Amino acid sequence: MRLVGRQLARFREAAGLTQRELATEFNLAEETVASIEQGRRPLKPDLAQRFDDRLDTKGALSVAVEHMPEVDLIPAWAEEYMDLEREAIALSWYENQVLPGLLQTERYARAVFRTDVPALSENEVERLIAARLARQGVFRRPAPPTISFVVSEAVLIDRLGGDSVRQEVLQHLHTCTELPGITIQVMPLGRESHAGLSGPFILLETPDHQHLAYAEGQRGSQMISSPDEVSILARKYAMLRTQALNAEETKGLLDRLLGDR
């Protein structure tokens, strides 16, 4: 990713363009171009082709992206998602097994990473915790995003990290329900129908109103930009919201769970 980024920078400079000028031509944020050139964000194939055409690179960027090693591609999507998450104007997040990263407390995040297999080193656990908590800075943006969460009730019943961590999480979620722009809904157990059986996913809207999705599996992650595929997930999420407890019912459930100490 760093190599491809440096190639883009060299081609851009040879064309006499600044990062801002290139970004403006392609209706991108200047930070997007900077992130690609610094190797922090992957260059997607469609954008590589457009850059090749504009910068007269004889297809060099497209070839580089096409032959990107898989070891770089898998974490690249996660890095791209986190870049997009920082700038998003809206997020819709469904989780069925673990609390969404943006809602995790430090102790809960530590329990999550300490249960990883193979086991992570303590240094790696602490690094991952710091990165996860830093992402929660989106709540403190001058114009925070609109965020909707649908979380399985199983996540609230689970005792990941122990009873004290669970009680802390329940109180934290209760507090989060009061934050502006955030809606938390619980998908109750025992339903006869469920729109999210295929697993968790996140829908995202960028500042330029592009609609994307992100999904993680056991051994990799995937950014989804196809309008047809994003539409399918958006319809699933809309159905999940109708099947879940509404915001007031969810807050009542949290009150009851907090009372069961």
Side-chain angles (χ1 to χ4, degrees), residues 50-250:
R50 294 170 63 199
F51 281 159
D52 279 333
D53 294 341
R54 171 62 179 86
L55 303 175
D56 192 25
T57 67
K58 308 298 190 293
L61 295 173
S62 295
V63 170
V65 170
E66 181 182 355
H67 295 281
M68 183 83 74
E70 184 178 357
V71 69
D72 277 352
L73 282 176
I74 292 176
W77 299 121
E79 291 294 333
E80 181 181 15
Y81 167 75
M82 285 185 275
D83 278 346
L84 291 166
E85 182 184 78
R86 281 191 289 270
E87 304 168 359
I89 62 173
L91 291 164
S92 300
W93 193 322
Y94 167 63
E95 281 286 356
N96 62 355
Q97 194 63 44
V98 68
L99 203 63
L102 292 181
L103 295 177
Q104 292 183 12
T105 65
E106 180 176 349
R107 294 172 69 202
Y108 184 93
R110 179 169 284 105
V112 169
F113 292 125
R114 280 185 172 169
T115 59
D116 210 359
V117 178
L120 301 170
S121 70
E122 280 302 308
N123 286 340
E124 185 70 1
V125 167
E126 295 303 321
R127 184 187 70 79
L128 290 169
I129 292 170
R132 178 151 296 179
L133 296 179
R135 288 168 54 196
Q136 297 175 9
V138 298
F139 297 134
R140 298 184 291 276
R141 281 171 22 190
T146 300
I147 310 181
S148 165
F149 298 99
V150 175
V151 182
S152 171
E153 185 180 359
V155 176
L156 307 185
I157 295 174
D158 207 357
R159 299 174 54 255
L160 194 63
D163 289 333
S164 64
V165 171
R166 175 175 178 263
Q167 288 300 123
E168 177 185 81
V169 163
L170 293 173
Q171 185 60 62
H172 177 65
L173 290 176
H174 196 283
T175 300
C176 287
T177 63
E178 304 291 342
L179 294 176
I182 292 180
T183 301
I184 301 175
Q185 295 178 250
V186 169
M187 175 64 76
L189 296 174
R191 284 195 52 85
E192 294 185 358
S193 61
H194 196 305
L197 297 180
S198 297
F201 60 90
I202 304 169
L203 300 169
L204 179 149
E205 183 178 355
T206 69
D208 58 356
H209 306 296
Q210 183 181 13
H211 292 268
L212 304 168
Y214 177 73
E216 286 188 339
Q218 284 285 341
R219 298 297 300 145
S221 56
Q222 179 184 17
M223 282 297 305
I224 302 166
S225 58
S226 164
D228 289 343
E229 295 299 320
V230 174
S231 173
I232 289 171
L233 291 175
R235 281 177 277 164
K236 283 179 180 285
Y237 194 79
M239 185 62 72
L240 283 166
R241 294 198 71 177
T242 68
Q243 295 172 342
L245 303 178
N246 65 33
E248 290 75 20
E249 291 167 339
T250 293

